[in-house]
Amino acid sequence: MGNRFQVQDRFKNGAQYIDGQVRPGTSGRNHTIVDPATGERVLEYELAGPDDVDAAVAAARDAFPGWAGATPGERSDALHRFASVLAEQAEDFAQAESLQCGKPIKLTREFDVPGTVDNTAFFAGAARHLQGQSAGEYSGDHTSYVRREPIGVVGSIAPWNYPLQMAAWKVLPAIAAGNTIVLKPAEITPLTSLLFAQAATEAGIPAGVVNVVTGAGKDAGEHLVGHPDVAMTSFTGSTPVGRRVAEIATATVKRLHLELGGKAPFVVFDDADLDAAVQGAVAGSLINTGQDCTAATRAYVQRPLYDAFVAGVADLMATVRLGDPFDPSTDLGPLVSHTQRDRVAGFVDRARSYATVVTGGKAPGGALERGAYYLPTLIAGAAQDSEVVQSEIFGPVLVVVPFDSDDEGIALANDTPYGLAASAWSRDVYRAGRATREIKAGCVWVNDHIPIISEMPHGGYKASGFGKDMSAYSFEEYTQVKHVMYDNTAVVRKDWHRTIFGDRL
């Protein structure tokens, strides 16, 4: 195995980042981070408990007046410095992300890290554009305008599949808008979230503005969501856990932003470029070893192209190179843990009773058997109501289903509880346009699947949650809208007063 990022010295004082300092947790319970490619121990640390959450929230609360009172230009300058620090440390971030997640180094170097740097630069600019509606005399006697104000302390919970990017998606719009934040990353993948918070401090963002508590969901996560000094909760993760987060947040009437599960359809019409669709399906289903809530998971292929599509995807999947994540030639790394690998295998094994596993469907042996690897897998012949079509597998598994009419294809695409992302493949602009209008998802790609950009929003419909990450639309989540109204008449007795007392003057 190649050289790994060294974490022992970086986090020898703990895996909590509170008020600008690395600290140990106080829960009394330890957790071990494991390299999923080898099964080897990376770091053991003490998890955060409620006391650590309280300390982080207090630091964020104390930092809020100063950070919220900074000018947009001052916050923008700080975020520009932040982007520069991240760019300077790009290789450390790439290696740390590959180590804890098992991501191929070419993915972290070319996708996770540059995407995060770009997102930071975007919000550095966006911080200057928190504008409300322009002033106007809408009643005739008053001038009205709208202010956008920060909410306060944001408590965010991020998942393990994209630890660095999800930290950025949570932290950046929140602090660009003038809020302070306490982020709880997944306890199995906290390294880049901690590095991200440290980089913020190095960039001159004041202590307490960005805090990280690394603990279990039941202890640290639920305490953070229910904390009375937390004004907003932002959560990315599974739909079942999202429901629990909503229950806790609702009890304290918090602002709530949820980005939940997905089961993205990949709809191939019979006039599509077959080779492009095959290439796109393999890339879209295997990115991050399929551990992506927008990954292509359900390929609906119109009958004339179905057999050729199945054959093409199976052949291309067979060429994908599994290996050491730190080898630049590796295409597919392990899943994030052996537990996740076994969960994915369970879906595939159960599907054998009602569908055909065309390729893959097992863990590789040999030099990779110690890791949480699973072969790229294609399943055909599953019914629309089957588990592999309806449930989020979160692994390198693509299910392909035929359809006949365009009406049927779009109906099948919409026939799950989820609505996060989708794609439509066609050379016909009208056909593709119909798909973008009628598929119920927060993002619909045409003749591609997966690309995201900082300027455009990301978020779902239905059981995939509500609210937006990235783009200026994310400020809708992280700001309060205040209407300010000035009387322009200087009249003491207003005409409307007569509806409360006296007669018309």
Side-chain angles (χ1 to χ4, degrees):
M1 292 291 179
N3 293 327
R4 260 75 177 140
F5 180 73
Q6 300 302 307
V7 300
Q8 299 292 343
D9 291 340
R10 296 292 289 266
F11 301 110
K12 63 184 178 182
N13 295 324
Q16 318 302 325
Y17 195 76
I18 300 171
D19 204 18
Q21 298 291 326
V22 174
R23 302 185 188 181
T26 63
S27 69
R29 296 193 297 116
N30 285 357
H31 179 81
T32 300
I33 300 172
V34 174
D35 178 351
T38 64
E40 295 174 354
R41 174 184 176 275
V42 171
L43 179 73
E44 184 174 342
Y45 68 93
E46 188 171 357
L47 291 164
D51 289 347
D52 303 301
V53 173
D54 289 344
V57 172
R61 183 190 61 218
D62 292 346
F64 175 70
W67 184 247
T71 67
E74 289 168 339
R75 290 199 293 268
S76 176
D77 289 346
L79 285 164
H80 277 299
R81 294 193 301 270
F82 191 10
S84 296
V85 172
L86 294 173
E88 291 166 2
Q89 299 177 7
E91 183 60 18
D92 281 353
F93 277 96
Q95 290 191 22
E97 195 80 331
S98 290
L99 177 64
Q100 66 181 353
C101 299
K103 296 171 184 274
I105 193 70
K106 66 179 180 179
L107 181 67
T108 59
R109 285 174 176 163
E110 298 177 32
F111 182 74
D112 297 71
V113 175
T116 300
V117 174
D118 183 73
N119 214 226
T120 308
F122 170 81
F123 278 106
R128 290 180 177 267
H129 298 285
L130 278 168
Q131 297 170 344
Q133 190 172 1
S134 59
E137 286 68 49
Y138 299 102
S139 77
D141 291 337
H142 306 82
T143 295
S144 289
Y145 68 89
V146 170
R147 291 176 53 88
R148 283 194 176 274
E149 298 180 350
I151 296 170
V153 177
V154 177
S156 290
I157 300 176
W160 48 255
N161 59 331
Y162 287 101
L164 175 60
Q165 287 195 315
M166 293 298 100
W169 288 14
K170 300 299 183 194
V171 169
L172 295 172
I175 67 172
N179 302 286
T180 56
I181 190 167
V182 179
L183 173 71
K184 192 201 87 66
E187 62 269 29
I188 64 173
T189 56
L191 301 180
T192 48
S193 297
L194 292 163
L195 293 174
F196 191 73
Q198 289 177 310
T201 301
E202 291 176 39
I205 293 173
V209 173
V210 180
N211 307 275
V212 176
V213 289
T214 307
K218 285 289 185 183
D219 299 328
E222 292 197 1
H223 190 65
L224 178 61
V225 174
H227 200 290
D229 290 335
V230 170
M232 174 187 168
T233 293
S234 176
F235 171 80
T236 297
S238 71
T239 298
V241 178
R243 293 191 185 101
R244 175 62 180 156
V245 168
E247 290 173 1
I248 299 170
T250 300
T252 50
V253 198
K254 291 181 181 1
R255 175 78 67 88
L256 185 61
H257 169 217
L258 298 175
E259 197 263 271
L260 306 177
K263 190 69 177 174
F266 185 101
V267 184
V268 182
F269 295 100
D270 59 13
D271 67 332
D273 181 323
L274 177 62
D275 187 51
V278 167
Q279 299 274 335
V282 173
S285 64
L286 298 185
I287 186 171
N288 201 34
T289 317
Q291 299 165 125
D292 186 314
C293 48
T294 64
T297 59
R298 299 178 288 141
Y300 295 106
V301 183
Q302 206 152 24
R303 193 83 58 178
L305 296 185
Y306 177 78
D307 290 340
F309 179 88
V310 170
V313 169
D315 288 345
L316 187 54
M317 279 186 169
T319 70
V320 172
R321 299 165 296 183
L322 280 69
D324 174 11
F326 284 80
D327 183 341
S329 67
T330 292
D331 297 322
L332 195 73
L335 286 111
V336 75
S337 67
H338 287 79
T339 298
Q340 181 64 13
R341 192 270 310 276
D342 293 345
R343 179 181 180 274
V344 171
F347 277 102
V348 177
D349 290 343
R350 291 189 296 273
R352 297 181 197 278
S353 65
Y354 57 79
T356 300
V357 177
V358 179
T359 190
K362 62 181 181 180
L368 302 180
E369 63 183 357
R370 288 190 303 152
Y373 290 88
Y374 199 77
L375 292 172
T377 299
L378 179 65
I379 296 175
Q384 176 66 15
D385 63 356
S386 63
E387 180 186 46
V388 290
V389 173
Q390 293 292 323
S391 298
E392 190 172 29
I393 299 173
F394 229 54
V397 180
L398 177 64
V399 182
V400 59
V401 176
F403 70 91
D404 292 304
S405 69
D406 289 16
D407 288 347
E408 181 188 14
I410 291 173
L412 290 171
N414 286 328
D415 185 28
T416 71
Y418 301 106
L420 186 58
S423 63
W425 296 74
S426 173
R427 290 183 172 97
D428 185 327
V429 65
Y430 299 105
R431 220 174 192 182
R434 179 191 175 190
T436 64
R437 292 190 301 273
E438 296 186 12
I439 293 176
K440 304 305 180 187
C443 174
V444 182
W445 294 283
V446 176
N447 295 326
D448 207 345
H449 194 109
I450 284 299
I452 53 174
I453 51 175
S454 297
E455 290 83 359
M456 288 291 111
H458 175 84
Y461 288 22
K462 303 189 293 185
S464 291
F466 48 81
K468 299 300 179 185
D469 290 309
M470 298 199 301
S471 82
Y473 289 98
S474 65
F475 286 138
E476 303 293 335
E477 318 305 322
Y478 294 98
T479 56
Q480 301 271 23
V481 174
K482 178 185 287 185
H483 170 214
V484 178
M485 180 179 260
Y486 283 89
D487 171 61
N488 291 330
T489 66
V491 173
V492 174
R493 176 77 184 272
K494 314 293 193 223
D495 185 55
W496 70 267
H497 291 179
R498 67 186 173 79
T499 62
I500 312 303
F501 60 88
D503 298 319
R504 184 184 292 274
L505 298 177

